[in-house]
Amino acid sequence: MVALARAGQLDVARQLSSYFAEHDFFGGFGPEADAPGLALWAIEEVSIRARDHEFDEWLWPHAFRKAEYILQMLEARRPIRQLVRGPIVPTHWDDPQISLVCEPARDGLIVGRMDWQRPLLFVNAVSYRGLLSAADLAERQGHRQDAARWRQRAVELQRAWVKAF
């Protein structure tokens, strides 16, 4: 989707972005912690190239929801689980961990599940990028308090990430 937008195929990228905007989780391994951040980055990449205020207005509630989900993961004191929706790789349907998005946060980082692992640096890097992308959209939509809050949390996440690295 991002490659299509960058290549000037905005109509196709916009069509594809609706799925990423409307669904918080996607992929064959159930709800994974990297999805909100990746989706925010991708839809923002399309949005900045589309330069369409109506499109941004349509994206806004979806971006808000995803950014707030990232904050929930950053503040998690218990595991977060989500209903499993969409097609799943058949061998994983009965796995008791299929609904696990993340474990309790640790040291300012999301301990998120992705591809049946806990890739700490990757999940937090895409969540950082997602918060910044959401903040950019919030600024364009006039939601300056949300933008400032998400940017501040991104700075905190970046510090925790550097420390873990």
Side-chain angles (χ1 to χ4, degrees):
M1 188 170 72
V2 172
L4 287 166
R6 289 181 178 180
Q9 298 297 317
L10 284 173
D11 289 339
V12 176
R14 283 175 64 151
Q15 289 173 17
L16 293 172
S17 67
S18 66
Y19 185 87
F20 282 73
E22 293 170 348
H23 296 86
D24 292 334
F25 300 98
F26 37 83
F29 299 126
E32 296 180 306
D34 63 327
L38 286 173
L40 283 166
W41 165 70
I43 63 177
E44 172 63 3
E45 287 286 321
V46 174
S47 172
I48 59 176
R49 283 163 180 79
R51 296 181 182 165
D52 181 342
H53 183 70
E54 287 182 27
F55 183 62
D56 283 355
E57 284 182 352
W58 179 83
L59 285 175
W60 170 246
H62 302 296
F64 180 87
R65 185 183 65 250
K66 291 173 192 318
E68 291 297 311
Y69 200 94
I70 291 171
L71 297 187
Q72 288 175 20
M73 291 190 292
L74 281 167
E75 297 165 4
R77 293 190 175 149
R78 293 179 220 193
I80 295 177
R81 295 183 174 277
Q82 260 327 110
L83 288 175
V84 177
R85 295 194 167 110
I88 299 297
V89 174
T91 58
H92 296 297
W93 259 118
D94 295 329
D95 192 309
Q97 297 298 309
I98 190 86
S99 65
L100 179 69
V101 177
C102 68
E103 296 172 2
R106 186 175 60 235
D107 300 324
L109 296 170
I110 298 166
V111 182
R113 181 180 70 81
M114 188 202 120
D115 293 346
W116 303 109
Q117 300 173 34
R118 306 298 185 274
L120 193 69
L121 296 176
F122 178 77
V123 165
N124 286 279
V126 298
S127 295
Y128 164 82
R129 180 66 253 171
L131 287 173
L132 293 179
S133 294
D136 289 345
L137 178 61
E139 280 286 333
R140 287 197 312 278
Q141 289 294 299
H143 301 281
R144 287 172 179 55
Q145 287 181 323
D146 292 318
R149 184 167 50 93
W150 295 335
R151 282 196 179 98
Q152 179 57 42
R153 292 306 304 269
V155 167
E156 294 166 10
L157 178 53
Q158 183 183 36
R159 287 184 189 132
W161 190 94
V162 168
K163 186 176 179 182
F165 188 72

